[in-house]
Amino acid sequence: MSAPLVPQGAAGGSADSSTSFAASESGTSTTDGTRDIVATGSSTVEVEDVPAAITQISDAATSAGGYVESSQVGGGYGVVPLDATASQPAVSSGWITVRVPAEALTSVMDGLSAVGDVTATSVNRSDVTEQTVDLRARVAAGEASVARLTELMAQAGSVSDLIAAESALSERQAQLDSDRAILTSIESQVAMSSLSVQLNMRSQTVAADPAGFGDGLVAGWNGLIATLNGVVIGLGFLLPWIAVAGIVVLIVWGVRRIVRNRRGSREA
């Protein structure tokens, strides 16, 4: 009976051990001695026209060699398209996310001051050198393992050996594809930085117009006239009542006088 063609650990843990050893031998720097940094920027900008600002940022990212990842224009009535017509409500806010080359991130963020008033900005940088070094070692080990298993399949002396080699190759190929996809994603984030910009409509400033001495004099005169008018109206309203009250008082006084005279006559 022939010995199995699948090497021990081809689909198991020995390959991972060799990968970790390769990563530790490589250290935490890339082959050219640089570091792998993922940079992510965010800013908040107040602008006069949100759709126009989104267009400006999009053009700046494209000119720098990047592209627009996503964008949205929001107004008081929900989300509206970028090509909003004049009949639609005014847009009060929006946001845009762009990807630009890592070396152009700073210049693109500096250019936001030409779009509007930058009220907040931040940049987050993550060092992923160890992760990329480890992934590159895993990919290299996986490629070597796949090549070795492919050779062993061609040398398989029995059906059982062939099935074992195919199973190990399938597992190793799936792991290799996964490692390649993750490495490609991280390398893309390193090469192309992400910038998210929140756009808000600038609040309208109300111009102050303090009143002067002349305005105060006019206001005082108008108030005096209004007061005099009120007094005249009040007097006109009270005069009929005053006349009626006077007549009543005269009648009462006359009655009392008559009563007094009669009482005096009786006593005499």
Side-chain angles (χ1 to χ4, degrees):
M1 182 176 179
S2 59
L5 291 176
V6 181
Q8 183 180 3
S14 62
D16 293 335
S17 299
S18 63
T19 300
S20 300
F21 175 77
S24 62
E25 286 295 313
S26 300
T28 57
S29 60
T30 57
T31 54
D32 57 358
T34 60
R35 310 289 297 181
D36 287 331
I37 306 295
V38 175
T40 304
S42 63
S43 296
T44 301
V45 185
E46 290 187 350
V47 298
E48 294 288 348
D49 188 338
V50 173
I54 287 182
T55 301
Q56 285 183 265
I57 297 173
S58 175
D59 294 341
T62 304
S63 300
Y67 59 91
V68 177
E69 191 171 57
S70 60
S71 64
Q72 178 176 302
V73 177
Y77 297 89
V79 177
V80 297
L82 286 176
D83 57 348
T85 60
S87 61
Q88 292 174 326
V91 176
S92 61
S93 64
W95 55 263
I96 180 172
T97 300
V98 298
R99 298 289 295 274
V100 296
E103 62 275 8
L105 177 62
T106 302
S107 62
V108 173
M109 294 186 70
D110 291 342
L112 293 176
S113 58
V115 177
D117 298 330
V118 180
T119 59
T121 184
S122 65
V123 178
N124 181 42
R125 301 183 188 274
S126 301
D127 191 336
V128 295
T129 306
E130 294 184 4
Q131 190 175 359
T132 55
V133 167
D134 180 68
L135 282 170
R136 291 186 184 106
R138 289 171 64 90
V139 168
E143 291 174 344
S145 178
V146 168
R148 176 60 178 161
L149 287 172
T150 302
E151 293 177 359
L152 292 176
M153 285 182 59
Q155 300 172 9
S158 64
V159 175
S160 60
D161 289 345
L162 180 61
I163 293 175
E166 286 181 346
S167 177
L169 177 61
S170 177
E171 181 179 350
R172 179 52 59 186
Q173 185 66 55
Q175 183 62 47
L176 176 60
D177 292 340
S178 176
D179 291 340
R180 281 174 173 169
I182 296 174
L183 179 60
T184 300
S185 176
I186 295 178
E187 288 178 338
S188 173
Q189 295 177 46
V190 171
M192 301 290 289
S193 298
S194 176
L195 172 60
S196 298
V197 183
Q198 173 67 40
L199 299 167
N200 299 320
M201 180 178 291
R202 183 183 291 115
S203 57
Q204 299 296 328
T205 303
V206 179
D209 186 17
F213 176 78
D215 294 332
L217 182 61
V218 172
W221 176 257
N222 292 335
L224 176 61
I225 296 301
T227 303
L228 292 177
N229 288 337
V231 171
V232 171
I233 293 174
L235 290 176
F237 176 80
L238 292 175
L239 279 177
W241 294 94
I242 294 173
V244 173
I247 294 173
V248 172
V249 170
L250 288 175
I251 293 173
V252 172
W253 179 80
V255 171
R256 291 183 65 181
R257 185 177 179 83
I258 294 172
V259 171
R260 248 183 229 175
N261 292 334
R262 286 182 180 179
R263 188 176 298 172
S265 300
R266 288 176 183 176
E267 290 177 356

